Amino acid sequence: MGFNEIMNNNFITISEVAIYKNKLDLDVCHKSASFVKSLQDKFIDKSWDCDIKTSKNLTNNILNIIELRDLKYNILAHIDNYMQQRGLFYDGYIRDSWVNIYEKKFYQEFHTHINEWHRTISGVIYLTEKNSDIVFDVTYAKRFTPEFSEIILFEDDLPHRVVSNEEDLRISLAFNFAKCARWSGIKE
């Protein structure tokens, strides 16, 4: 997917909150999905009061693994597009990233990605064809059924959850882009 293809307005609004939704490069996602599946037996159960397996026991930032470099660059291009479309550009970096494995009946409760050090742009990508829904906002409950290679970006304080997975396997990769400094543009 070329840069011009991702520059369209890809926002869905919930109340006053904007959620960015778009597609990543298919070939990159297929390659990344194969690599992640080769590691999935190493992931441990992690309980955030729910059933889920995660890569957090292996690394705090799975996108730094060389085999996922193309995926990381593709994600960064979409983060840039998200900031450009919102008219708010930040210097920053992907602070943490992890894979979530949902087996049948696994789910994730409502949560946010708020960090005590700095605000983030949070995101998730989907590396399986069939995915259980993600639900945003407790009050307005905007629900999406993600597709393979889809990326969803949102602000870190937006509550979201994953409904119970009815498929054999759902693989997603979540991340947080740390907003280090707001760019003020070119001085005239």
Side-chain angles (χ1 to χ4, degrees), residues 17-19 82-83 86 88 90 112-114 119-123 136 153-160 176 179:
V17 178
I19 298 172
Y82 171 88
M83 292 186 291
R86 295 200 66 207
L88 297 169
Y90 294 89
T112 63
H113 291 221
I114 296 173
R119 298 300 304 266
T120 66
I121 297 168
S122 297
F136 289 94
L153 300 173
F154 49 95
E155 294 299 311
D156 60 359
D157 60 351
L158 182 61
H160 57 285
N176 292 304
K179 297 179 190 178

Side-chain angles (χ1 to χ4, degrees), residues 35-145:
F35 176 72
V36 167
K37 286 176 185 174
S38 76
L39 293 177
Q40 79 181 47
D41 290 339
K42 296 179 180 178
F43 300 164
I44 62 165
D45 293 339
K46 172 75 176 175
S47 179
W48 291 291
D49 297 327
C50 61
D51 291 321
I52 194 170
K53 290 184 179 177
T54 179
S55 64
K56 285 190 169 204
N57 63 304
L58 298 178
T59 177
N60 68 329
N61 203 338
I62 198 157
L63 286 171
N64 285 340
I65 296 174
I66 193 78
E67 290 84 355
L68 297 176
R69 178 186 293 171
D70 291 340
L71 182 63
K72 181 177 183 176
Y73 292 154
N74 203 205
I75 289 168
L76 288 168
H78 281 277
I79 292 170
D80 183 72
N81 189 36
Y82 171 88
M83 292 186 291
Q84 294 292 340
Q85 287 186 28
R86 295 200 66 207
L88 297 169
F89 194 85
Y90 294 89
D91 291 326
Y93 63 99
I94 295 177
R95 180 177 51 84
D96 55 345
S97 61
W98 61 98
V99 171
N100 290 320
I101 302 285
Y102 297 84
E103 295 173 355
K104 199 168 194 96
K105 302 295 182 194
F106 282 22
Y107 67 96
Q108 176 80 54
E109 76 283 354
F110 270 111
H111 65 284
T112 63
H113 291 221
I114 296 173
N115 178 276
E116 64 184 281
W117 302 106
H118 39 63
R119 298 300 304 266
T120 66
I121 297 168
S122 297
V124 61
I125 63 165
Y126 298 90
L127 297 175
T128 42
E129 295 292 336
K130 295 182 179 180
N131 297 288
S132 51
D133 289 358
I134 184 168
V135 179
F136 289 94
D137 197 311
V138 178
T139 306
Y140 297 97
K142 180 64 179 168
R143 190 176 185 125
F144 298 102
T145 303

